[in-house]
C-alpha cells in the first residue's frame, strides 16, 4: 500500500472507514517495521452519527511521543481498532500516488515487461464499470510485483518508471529525501470507447470508477481520452466545457485535497484527421492554465494543468507509448514540484502572442524546427477568416522562444502552428508543439505574455480595503490592530494552491459569511514561487498562477479582503522553493508591487543567518516603507519564537529568549509552536507552548503569539474537539486563520468558526492573551482573559477526564481581575443565552471528554 506523503508537495494521507455503531472510539496506529528506526504514533477519533470516521495522517517528519524519528518512506504497519473490531495492513509506504485514467489510448499493455523493472511502483487496477449514481465502493485489485504486469497500461507504468528515475522530490539542493527514491502508487482506471461526458462529474464512468478515488490524497492525474468523441463528432464547445468544468475542475472540487496536477495528452490521431479531430484538439487546449477574467464572468480560471502533444507519435506502438509516457512524466514533475526550464524540458512550445512578423512562445525554453527539406513554412499557417488556412512563406528561429515568420497574405488575422505532418516546432528536449495552437494577430506589435507579471505599478495600489487601521508604531498608547482573522492555505492544501482554488476560496469566504464575520485575510503559504529570474527577482509558478499575484490580490481586495504571501529567511523555503536569504530588499519590493498586505517569514533550509532577527529587521524596514506609500498596514509574521528550555521545564518564567527582542525586530506576529496537526495531542501541545509565551504578548500589546492555524473542519478532529480547539484559540487572542477546504465545510464547523461570542473574545480591544488560571478535578482546566469593560472570557474544558464526562467548578477567586464583590452575570457563548448571576463559583456540568464550556462573565 502507498499513502500519499509530504515530500515538497506535502500532501497528507487520509484513512476513512465505517464503525459498527455511532459515537464509537476509533484508533489508528502507525508502526515502523524498520527495526533500526522504531516509531509508533496513534491517532484517536470518534465515529460520526452515520458511523463513518476519518483520520488525516501528518506524515513522518514529526517524531513520535518518545522523540523517535520515523523511516522516511517506510515500511510501516497500519492498524485500525475499535472496541469490537480490528483491521491491519503491512508493508505500508509513504510516497506519491497518481491516477491514470481515460480510454483505450491508455490500455496498450506492457508487452515483454518483467517484474525486475518494477521497483517500488505499486499498481491498482480499477474494474471497468458504470453507475447511475456516485459510489464510494472501489472495485479492483492490487497487482503485486510482476503480477499481470503485461496487462497493465504501458503508458501509465512507463510514466511511473520515468518519475522514479527523475525523483523530483529529492532532486537538487534542499531535497528532503536524503538520497532515497520515493515509492510510487499508480491507479489505472480505463474504459474503452468512453466519451468525455462519461468521465465528467456525474457521468456514469465517473460515478463508478473515479468517485471512490476522490476520497484519497493524490499527487496528480494522467488523462488521455478522445477516440469515441472523434467517432461521435462531439463539438468543440461540448468537449471543452465538459473537459474543463466537469473533468478537471469537477474532480478537484469533490476531492479531499486542492488543485492537484492534471497532465493530459492531446488527442492522438495523426494530423489530417479532419474537423472532428481538430475539434478535440482545440477543446483540450482550452484546459491549459488561464487566469480568471473579470470581464468574462462565465470564464473560470484553470490552473496546474499541462498538455502533452502526441500527434507526432500516434502510431500505437510501444515505442511511441514510452515517448508519450516520458512527456507526461516531465510535465507532472513540473506541475507538482515546480521544476523549471530548461533543466526539465517538460513544456511543449505554446504560442502566447503573435504579430504580423513575430510569434512569441512561452518563456523558459529554446525552440527548434524539425522539417523535411523545403517545408519550413509548413510549420505555421495563416488565415484571413479563421477557416481557410495557407502556409507561411518562411519560418526561422530568431531567439530562444521567438519565431520570425513571413506571410504572403497581407490581411492575415489568425495564425496557427502544428499544421504539417512533416514540420514540427519542438523545444530543446524534442517535445513537439501542440497541434493547431491558434493566436490572433496583434497588429500593434504588443507582446501579451504577462503570465509572470505581478503588474508592477508602485503608484497604483488598491486603497479600497481599509478595514484595518493605518499602521502606527507609537508604543503602548497607540490604538492596536486586532489579531488577524482570515484563511491560510497550508493545513488543508499544502502545495496544492492555485489561482483557481484561491479565487473560489474568496468567493466561498463571501458566500458563507466568513468575511462578514471578520475573516478578512487570504494568506498564501509555501509553493506559490517557482524560481528567480537572472536579475534575482522571484517569480510566481505560472502553471498555478497564470494571472500573476497582483491580479489575485486585486480580486481579494475588491471583495473586502487583504492577502498575504510566504517566504523563508533561509536560502530555501520548507518545500525547497527559493527563500529570501540575502534577497529581503528585492523580495520586499516584489511583495509591495504585488500589493500584498501580509508576509509570513519562515525559517527552513539552505543558507542561514547567524542571527534570525537580521532578516526580520530588514523586512520590517522595507515593509514599513511600502506601508507608508500605500497608507495601510503591512503585517509581518515571523517563524519562529518558541519558548526556551527553562520555560518548558519550569525553571524560569516571564519574558525569555527570543521573546526579549521579537517585537522590537518588527514582528507583528510570531509562531510559538511546532506545526499543528489535526489530532488532539497536537492541539494540546501547541496550547501549552503558546501559553508559556503569554508574558511576551503582555509586554508588547498589539503584537501577538501565534499557536498556528486552525484545524476546524479538517479530518481528524471530532466536532467536540473542534469546538474546544476554536474556543481556546479565540481566548488566547492570537491570529484566527482558517485552513480547511471550504467547499467541504460542514454546517457544524461553519457554526464554530462564526461564533460571535468567541470572535468577540479574540478581537477584544485589550488585546490580552488568555491563560490557564486553575484546575478542577482530574483533568479539568480553567482558562481566562480580561476583556474591555471589566468583562471576562472563560473556557473550562475537560482535557483528560478519565475518559468520561465530568463536572468542572469555576471558582471566581482564580480569575485574573480585581475583586468583584457583586458577582457575575454569565453568558454561554454557544447557546447565546444568559445562564444567570453567580457570586462565588459556577459549575459546568457533565463536560464531555475533550469538551468545554465557553463563557463571558460580566460584572454585576
Amino acid at each position: 500500500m502507498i499513502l500519499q506523503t509530504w515530500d515538497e508537495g506535502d500532501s497528507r494521507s487520509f484513512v476513512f472507514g465505517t464503525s459498527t455503531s455511532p459515537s464509537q472510539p476509533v484508533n489508528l496506529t502507525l508502526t515502523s517495521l524498520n527495526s533500526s528506526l522504531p516509531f509508533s504514533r496513534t491517532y484517536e477519533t470518534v465515529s460520526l452519527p452515520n458511523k463513518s470516521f476519518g483520520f488525516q495522517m501528518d506524515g513522518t517528519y514529526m517524531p513520535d511521543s518518545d522523540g523517535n524519528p520515523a523511516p522516511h518512506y517506510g515500511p510501516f504497519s497500519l492498524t485500525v481498532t475499535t472496541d469490537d473490531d480490528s483491521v491491519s495492513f503491512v508493508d505500508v509506504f509513504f510516497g506519491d500516488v497518481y491516477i491514470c485514467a481515460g480510454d483505450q489510448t491508455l490500455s496498450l499493455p506492457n508487452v515483454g515487461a518483467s517484474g525486475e523493472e518494477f521497483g517500488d511502483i505499486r499498481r491498482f487496477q480499477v474494474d471497468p464499470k458504470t453507475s447511475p449514481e456516485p459510489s464510494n465502493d472501489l472495485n479492483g485489485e492490487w497487482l503485486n510485483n510482476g503480477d499481470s504486469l503485461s496487462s497493465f497500461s504501458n503508458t501509465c507504468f512507463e510514466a511511473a518508471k520515468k518519475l522514479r528515475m527523475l525523483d523530483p522530490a529529492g532532486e537538487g539542493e534542499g531535497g528532503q529525501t536524503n538520497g532515497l527514491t520515493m515509492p510510487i502508487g499508480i491507479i489505472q482506471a480505463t474504459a474503452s470507447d468512453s466519451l468525455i461526458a462519461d468521465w465528467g462529474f456525474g457521468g456514469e464512468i465517473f460515478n463508478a470508477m473515479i468517485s471512490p478515488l476522490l476520497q484519497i490524497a493524490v499527487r496528480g492525474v494522467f488523462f488521455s481520452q478522445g477516440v469515441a468523441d472523434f467517432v461521435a463528432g462531439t463539438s468543440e464547445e461540448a468537449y471543452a466545457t465538459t473537459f474543463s468544468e466537469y473533468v478537471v475542475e469537477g474532480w478537484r472540487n469533490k476531492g479531499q485535497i486542492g488543485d492537484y496536477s492534471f497532465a493530459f495528452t492531446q488527442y492522438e490521431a495523426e494530423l489530417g484527421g479532419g474537423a472532428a479531430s481538430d475539434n478535440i484538439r482545440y477543446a483540450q487546449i482550452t484546459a491549459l492554465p488561464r487566469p480568471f477574467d473579470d470581464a468574462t464572468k462565465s470564464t473560470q480560471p484553470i490552473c496546474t494543468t499541462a498538455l502533452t502533444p502526441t500527434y507526432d507519435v500516434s502510431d500505437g506502438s510501444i515505442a511511441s507509448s514510452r515517448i508519450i509516457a516520458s512527456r507526461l512524466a516531465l510535465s507532472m514533475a513540473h506541475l507538482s514540484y515546480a521544476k523549471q526550464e530548461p533543466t526539465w524540458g517538460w513544456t511543449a512550445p505554446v504560442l502566447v502572442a503573435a504579430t504580423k512578423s513575430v510569434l512569441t512562445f512561452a518563456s523558459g525554453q529554446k525552440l527548434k524546427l524539425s522539417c523535411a527539406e523545403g517545408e519550413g513554412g509548413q510549420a505555421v499557417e495563416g488565415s484571413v477568416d479563421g477557416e481557410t488556412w495557407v502556409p507561411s512563406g518562411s519560418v526561422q528561429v530568431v531567439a530562444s522562444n521567438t519565431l520570425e515568420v513571413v506571410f504572403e497574405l497581407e490581411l492575415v488575422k489568425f495564425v496557427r502552428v502544428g499544421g504539417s505532418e512533416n514540420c514540427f516546432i519542438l523545444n530543446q528536449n524534442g517535445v513537439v508543439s501542440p497541434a493547431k495552437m491558434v493566436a490572433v494577430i496583434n497588429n500593434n506589435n504588443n507582446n501579451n505574455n504577462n503570465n509572470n507579471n505581478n503588474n508592477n505599478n508602485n503608484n497604483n495600489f488598491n486603497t479600497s480595503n481599509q478595514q484595518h487601521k493605518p499602521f502606527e508604531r507609537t508604543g503602548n498608547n497607540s490604538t492596536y490592530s486586532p489579531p488577524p482573522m482570515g484563511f491560510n492555505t497550508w493545513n488543508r492544501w499544502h502545495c496544492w494552491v492555485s489561482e483557481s482554488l484561491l479565487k473560489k476560496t474568496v468567493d466561498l469566504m463571501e458566500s458563507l459569511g466568513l468575511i462578514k464575520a471578520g475573516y478578512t485575510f487570504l494568506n498564501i503559504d509555501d509553493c506559490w514561487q517557482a524560481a528567480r529570474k537572472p536579475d534575482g527577482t522571484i517569480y510566481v509558478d505560472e502553471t498555478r498562477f497564470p494571472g500573476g499575484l497582483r491580479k489575485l490580490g486585486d480580486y481579494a481586495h475588491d471583495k473586502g479582503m487583504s492577502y498575504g504571501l510566504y517566504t523563508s529567511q533561509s536560502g530555501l523555503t520548507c518545500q525547497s522553493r527559493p527563500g529570501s536569504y540575502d534577497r529581503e530588499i528585492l523580495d520586499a519590493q516584489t511583495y509591495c508591487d504585488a500589493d500584498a498586505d501580509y508576509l509570513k517569514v519562515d525559517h527552513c533550509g539552505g543558507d542561514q543567518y547567524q542571527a534570525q532577527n537580521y532578516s526580520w529587521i530588514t523586512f520590517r524596514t522595507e515593509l514599513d516603507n511600502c506601508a507608508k506609500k500605500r497608507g495601510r498596514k503591512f503585517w509581518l509574521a515571523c517563524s519562529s519564537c518558541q519558548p526556551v528550555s527553562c520555560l518548558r521545564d519550569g525553571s524560569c518564567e516571564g519574558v525569555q529568549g527570543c521573546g526579549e527582542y521579537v517585537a522590537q525586530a518588527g514582528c507583528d506576529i510570531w509562531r510559538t509552536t511546532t506545526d499543528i496537526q489535526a489530532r488532539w495531542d497536537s492541539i494540546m501541545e501547541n496550547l501549552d507552548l503558546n501559553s508559556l509565551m503569554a508574558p511576551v504578548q503582555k509586554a508588547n500589546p498589539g503584537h501577538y503569539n501565534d499557536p498556528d492555524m486552525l484545524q476546524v473542519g479538517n479530518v481528524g478532529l471530532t466536532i467536540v474537539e473542534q469546538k474546544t480547539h476554536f474556543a481556546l484559540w479565540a481566548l488566547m487572542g492570537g491570529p484566527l486563520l482558517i485552513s480547511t477546504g471550504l467547499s467541504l465545510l460542514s454546517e457544524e464547523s461553519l457554526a464554530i468558526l462564526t461564533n460571535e461570542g468567541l470572535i468577540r473574545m479574540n478581537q477584544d480591544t485589550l488585546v490580552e492573551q488568555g491563560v490557564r488560571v486553575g484546575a478542577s478535578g482530574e483533568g479539568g482546566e480553567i482558562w481566562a482573559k480580561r476583556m474591555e469593560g471589566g468583562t471576562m472570557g472563560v473556557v473550562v474544558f475537560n482535557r483528560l477526564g478519565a475518559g468520561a464526562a465530568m463536572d468542572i467548578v469555576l471558582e471566581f477567586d482564580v480569575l485574573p481581575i480585581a475583586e468583584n464583590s457583586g458577582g457575575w452575570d454569565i453568558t454561554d457563548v454557544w447557546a447565546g443565552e444568559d445562564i444567570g448571576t453567580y457570586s462565588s463559583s459556577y459549575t459546568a456540568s457533565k463536560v464531555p471528554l475533550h469538551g468545554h464550556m465557553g463563557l463571558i462573565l460580566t460584572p454585576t
Side-chain angles (χ1 to χ4, degrees), residues 3 26 45 58 101 151 215 268 291 362 369 406 482 551 595 608 632 636 666 669 703 705 737 795 800 819 844:
L3 297 174
V26 187
T45 192
D58 45 289
S151 65
Q215 297 299 308
E268 292 186 24
L369 291 175
V406 175
K551 191 166 186 178
D595 209 16
Q608 304 280 337
R632 70 178 193 272
L636 177 61
I669 301 159
H703 303 254
N705 290 324
L737 298 177
V795 172
L800 300 174
E819 183 178 351

Side-chain angles (χ1 to χ4, degrees), residues 123-456:
R123 296 162 296 129
F124 186 88
Q125 200 159 23
V126 181
D127 293 338
K129 59 182 300 187
T130 61
S131 172
E133 300 294 334
S135 172
N136 289 325
D137 296 326
L138 183 62
N139 295 289
E141 62 176 331
W142 283 101
L143 305 175
N144 297 315
N145 300 319
D147 295 349
S148 304
L149 193 58
S150 61
S151 65
F152 197 78
S153 164
N154 182 75
T155 303
C156 299
F157 181 69
E158 290 292 331
K161 282 173 58 179
K162 182 67 173 180
L163 280 166
R164 285 192 80 247
M165 288 187 287
L166 293 172
D167 194 22
E171 181 73 16
E173 183 183 5
Q176 299 175 346
T177 59
N178 300 317
L180 300 175
T181 300
M182 180 182 289
I184 288 178
I186 189 85
I187 302 169
Q188 179 184 335
T190 55
S192 297
D193 299 321
S194 52
L195 294 166
I196 191 66
D198 297 326
W199 292 99
F201 177 74
E204 292 197 351
I205 289 178
F206 169 89
N207 290 340
M209 300 177 67
I210 301 301
S211 180
L213 297 175
L214 298 185
Q215 297 299 308
I216 67 175
V218 299
R219 179 73 68 189
V221 172
F222 298 113
F223 190 78
S224 180
Q225 192 279 335
V227 175
D229 288 280
F230 170 73
V231 173
T234 302
S235 71
E236 177 185 340
E237 181 179 5
Y239 193 103
T241 299
T242 303
F243 186 40
S244 295
E245 297 184 15
Y246 292 91
V247 177
V248 178
E249 292 299 288
W251 292 18
R252 288 170 172 171
N253 290 344
K254 297 300 178 181
Q256 286 292 335
I257 203 159
D259 280 0
Y260 48 74
S261 305
F262 216 104
F264 52 94
T265 62
Q266 192 168 33
Y267 177 53
E268 292 186 24
E270 296 183 23
L271 287 171
S277 177
D278 285 348
N279 285 342
I280 296 174
R281 290 186 178 124
Y282 284 133
Q284 290 172 326
I285 289 168
T286 65
L288 286 171
R290 65 171 185 258
F292 57 85
D293 185 355
D294 294 333
T296 310
K297 298 298 184 182
S298 61
T299 300
Q300 293 297 312
I302 293 289
C303 307
T304 328
T305 59
L307 181 149
T308 296
T310 58
Y311 62 90
D312 60 325
V313 285
S314 55
D315 59 5
S317 68
I318 288 288
S320 291
S321 175
R322 287 174 176 168
I323 293 173
I324 293 168
S326 179
R327 293 176 181 177
L328 283 168
L330 286 166
S331 66
M332 187 63 72
H334 175 83
L335 293 174
S336 295
Y337 291 96
K339 299 301 181 182
Q340 297 300 307
E341 306 287 8
T343 305
W344 290 80
W346 76 277
T347 314
V350 176
L351 184 62
V352 296
T355 70
K356 184 73 177 295
S357 59
V358 176
L359 305 183
T360 304
F361 289 73
S363 61
Q365 54 190 260
K366 297 178 181 179
L367 301 181
K368 58 184 179 180
L369 291 175
S370 175
C371 298
E373 185 177 353
E375 294 190 359
Q378 300 285 334
V380 179
E381 295 177 309
S383 175
V384 174
D385 55 11
E387 297 182 2
T388 302
W389 298 87
V390 298
S392 61
S394 65
V395 178
Q396 61 179 330
V397 178
V398 295
S400 63
N401 68 324
T402 305
L403 297 180
E404 185 177 78
V405 59
V406 175
F407 292 105
E408 295 180 359
L409 296 175
E410 291 297 324
L411 299 177
V412 171
K413 294 183 179 179
F414 305 93
V415 61
R416 74 182 184 185
V417 301
S420 169
E421 296 181 32
N422 299 312
C423 192
F424 304 119
I425 300 171
L426 308 96
N427 74 1
Q428 69 274 12
N429 287 323
V431 180
V432 67
S433 173
K436 305 300 178 75
M437 287 291 288
V438 177
V440 178
I441 291 287
N442 181 352
N443 288 317
N444 294 323
N445 293 325
N446 290 328
N447 184 344
N448 294 320
N449 181 19
N450 289 326
N451 282 358
N452 271 330
N453 185 357
N454 287 330
N455 300 321
N456 298 345

Side-chain angles (χ1 to χ4, degrees), residues 519-601:
Y519 294 95
T520 56
F521 280 84
L522 177 75
N523 291 346
I524 310 168
D525 213 279
D526 206 349
C527 301
W528 63 263
Q529 324 87 327
R532 290 192 181 273
K533 299 177 183 178
D535 65 1
T537 305
I538 197 165
Y539 64 87
V540 70
D541 185 341
E542 64 181 11
T543 66
R544 294 182 177 274
F545 296 88
L549 296 175
R550 180 64 180 267
K551 191 166 186 178
L552 176 63
D554 288 346
Y555 190 85
H557 288 147
D558 289 345
K559 294 284 189 176
M561 297 190 74
S562 301
Y563 92 105
L565 297 172
Y566 166 101
T567 188
S568 176
Q569 64 168 273
S570 48
L572 297 168
T573 71
C574 289
Q575 299 307 308
S576 297
R577 305 298 172 92
S580 291
Y581 177 81
D582 202 30
R583 303 276 189 171
E584 286 87 354
I585 295 174
L586 182 61
D587 287 355
Q589 184 61 54
T590 298
Y591 308 146
C592 188
D593 291 343
D595 209 16
D597 305 277
Y598 184 112
L599 179 65
K600 174 181 173 180
V601 180

Side-chain angles (χ1 to χ4, degrees), residues 438-479:
V438 177
V440 178
I441 291 287
N442 181 352
N443 288 317
N444 294 323
N445 293 325
N446 290 328
N447 184 344
N448 294 320
N449 181 19
N450 289 326
N451 282 358
N452 271 330
N453 185 357
N454 287 330
N455 300 321
N456 298 345
N457 186 343
N458 293 346
N459 297 316
N460 188 29
F461 296 118
N462 185 298
T463 58
S464 63
N465 180 30
Q466 296 291 342
Q467 71 270 21
H468 294 294
K469 298 175 182 178
F471 183 31
E472 296 180 359
R473 198 174 293 280
T474 56
N476 291 345
N477 294 321
S478 64
T479 300

